[in-house]
């Protein structure tokens, strides 16, 4: 698992001083983001969800940092959630001094390197974003603009911060749910980054209209499937004949819920039916619904209902 690293421009510096950094470090000399974060932070993350590309989400809490972050293979985006504090980043002769506070974000473009001096403990959620994902989202949205990300250090962006910090509360130890959430959130954050943190901000046109009734029925059938492959965002979008970018927007327009929120609600209803109508143990219900443990299932159930599965079952019988 991994932790956070922080990057460029400060909330105290005018945005005009920030510019995309050239990523001239050879790819072979760059480290996977989660590996470099673990090395620099000297600990392991509380939660991490990665895919085979190394892209993913990690929640870190780490001690003060005084070290150089080496070039990485991914863009690293961080949302700060700790105590307010001043920090310093040095890139060559450039020095950025910023104030970490809730609502601030940090962006480290792939291939860049900086020294970080952070005097107090840090609590952050990090997104590891492959450049190929950023490019795919830009192509699907037909932005037609360059996709070089700006460096940001303690930069005020409550929208991006809120989206990323939500990951710490939503990852809940269920493979299908966590994967769909990570895929959905990654695409949403990539869209936000292109619109607000690139050298040429990309204009995104709102998607009008939902899914045709038959297409929506097929998507819901997939979401009800027991196969994790069926409920991947790529499979759902491909079956609908849409890009991931447009599928998520059309699905929410049709149902009022994102694909992840719909699946989460469906799994909760399944759990309630099993707890009320069968004598299956809580452990069996958790396993049947794909949770890694009874503890993970109980925490997710309580988050949505305010009760433990056992308490809910006793009250409903």
């Amino acid at each position: 698992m991994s932790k956070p690293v922080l990057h460029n421009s400060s909330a105290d510096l005018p945005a005009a001083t920030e510019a995309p950094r050239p990523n001239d470090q050879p790819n072979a000399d760059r480290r996977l983001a989660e590996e470099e974060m673990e090395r620099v932070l000297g600990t392991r993350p509380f939660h991490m969800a990665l895919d085979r590309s190394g892209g993913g989400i990690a929640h870190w809490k780490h001690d003060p940092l005084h070290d150089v972050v080496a070039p990485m293979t991914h863009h690293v985006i961080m949302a700060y959630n700790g105590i307010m504090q001043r920090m310093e980043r040095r890139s060559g002769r450039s020095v950025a001094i910023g104030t970490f506070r809730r609502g601030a974000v940090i962006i480290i473009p792939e291939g860049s390197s900086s020294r970080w001096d952070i005097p107090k403990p840090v609590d952050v959620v990090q997104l590891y974003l492959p450049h190929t994902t950023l490019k795919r989202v830009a192509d699907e949205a037909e932005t037609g603009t360059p996709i070089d990300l700006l460096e940001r250090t303690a930069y005020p962006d409550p929208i991006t911060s809120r989206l990323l910090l939500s990951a710490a509360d939503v990852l809940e130890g269920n493979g299908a749910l966590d994967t769909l959430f990570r895929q959905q959130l990654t695409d949403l954050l990539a869209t936000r980054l292109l619109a607000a943190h690139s050298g040429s901000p990309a204009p995104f046109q709102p998607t009008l209209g939902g899914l045709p009734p038959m297409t929506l029925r097929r998507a819901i059938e997939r979401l009800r499937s027991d196969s994790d492959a069926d409920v991947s965002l790529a499979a759902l979008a491909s079956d609908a004949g849409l890009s991931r970018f447009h599928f998520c927007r059309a699905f929410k327009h049709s149902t009022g819920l994102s694909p992840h929120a719909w699946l989460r609600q469906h799994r909760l209803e399944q759990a309630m039916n099993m707890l009320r109508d069968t004598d299956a143990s809580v452990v069996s219900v958790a396993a049947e619904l794909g949770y890694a443990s009874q503890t993970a299932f109980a925490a997710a159930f309580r988050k949505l209902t305010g009760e433990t599965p056992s308490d809910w079952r006793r009250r409903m019988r």
Side-chain angles (χ1 to χ4, degrees):
M1 312 290 242
S2 319
K3 266 200 170 187
V5 175
L6 312 172
H7 213 51
N8 193 23
S9 296
S10 154
D12 302 316
L13 298 177
T17 66
E18 306 178 62
R21 285 175 58 86
N23 294 329
D24 52 7
Q25 184 81 13
N27 285 335
D29 296 334
R30 300 177 187 177
R31 299 179 179 177
L32 289 174
E34 77 273 13
E35 294 177 357
E36 178 61 5
M37 289 297 97
E38 187 168 339
R39 181 195 71 80
V40 170
L41 301 175
T43 186
R44 298 178 69 80
F46 284 86
H47 300 288
M48 176 177 278
L50 298 177
D51 58 30
R52 284 176 294 181
S53 74
I57 297 167
H59 180 199
W60 295 87
K61 293 182 181 181
H62 65 86
D63 292 332
L65 175 64
H66 302 280
D67 203 347
V68 174
V69 176
M72 293 177 284
T73 57
H74 297 70
H75 304 294
V76 176
I77 296 87
M78 289 176 260
Y80 188 69
N81 194 36
I83 58 175
M84 186 181 298
Q85 62 173 307
R86 301 279 286 179
M87 53 74 58
E88 181 177 288
R89 175 193 56 79
R90 292 178 178 270
S91 300
R93 296 182 178 179
S94 172
V95 179
I97 299 174
T99 300
F100 282 167
R101 54 170 63 89
R102 190 175 179 89
V105 299
I106 300 95
I107 299 176
I108 307 176
E110 65 168 3
S112 64
S113 177
S114 299
R115 175 181 172 83
W116 294 88
D117 288 290
I118 308 173
K120 299 177 183 178
V122 172
D123 181 343
V124 296
V125 177
Q126 298 180 338
L127 170 71
Y128 306 142
L129 180 65
H131 191 73
T132 52
T133 299
L134 194 65
K135 184 177 186 306
R136 173 183 56 76
V137 171
D139 290 345
E140 290 176 355
E142 300 177 346
T143 61
T145 59
I147 52 175
D148 292 323
L149 291 186
L150 299 169
E151 287 188 329
R152 301 292 204 196
T153 300
Y155 191 89
D157 181 351
I159 295 175
T160 301
S161 175
R162 184 170 61 251
L163 286 171
L164 191 46
L165 289 177
S166 70
D169 294 325
V170 176
L171 293 175
E172 51 193 35
N174 182 292
L177 277 170
D178 289 350
T179 297
L180 188 57
F181 173 74
R182 177 181 50 74
Q183 293 171 346
Q184 186 178 292
L185 181 64
T186 296
D187 280 18
L188 185 58
L189 283 166
T191 302
R192 172 64 183 171
L193 292 168
L194 289 166
H197 299 287
S198 65
S200 300
F204 284 86
Q205 298 300 321
T207 300
L208 301 178
L211 297 171
M214 185 174 294
T215 303
L216 179 60
R217 282 197 298 271
R218 285 201 306 268
I220 288 175
E221 286 172 5
R222 273 192 174 275
L223 287 169
R224 285 176 172 156
S225 168
D226 293 331
S227 168
D228 288 358
D230 281 346
V231 300
S232 73
L233 193 53
L236 288 161
S238 176
D239 197 42
L242 295 171
S243 69
R244 287 165 52 157
F245 177 87
H246 289 102
F247 173 78
C248 284
R249 285 154 180 75
F251 185 90
K252 187 168 185 178
H253 187 279
S254 294
T255 66
L257 297 171
S258 69
H260 170 264
W262 192 98
L263 181 59
R264 197 182 190 201
Q265 182 65 33
H266 174 62
R267 293 287 170 92
L268 174 64
E269 291 170 0
Q270 287 181 299
M272 288 177 167
N273 289 338
M274 293 176 71
L275 291 168
R276 183 184 58 240
D277 302 334
T278 78
D279 292 324
S281 67
V282 175
V283 173
S284 298
V285 174
E288 179 71 19
L289 296 180
Y291 284 89
S293 67
Q294 178 182 346
T295 301
F297 168 62
F301 190 92
R302 185 166 190 167
K303 190 183 300 180
L304 292 172
T305 66
E307 297 179 278
T308 66
S310 297
D311 288 344
W312 187 90
R313 167 178 265 172
R314 281 192 293 270
R315 185 172 61 80
M316 295 303 294
R317 285 187 163 186

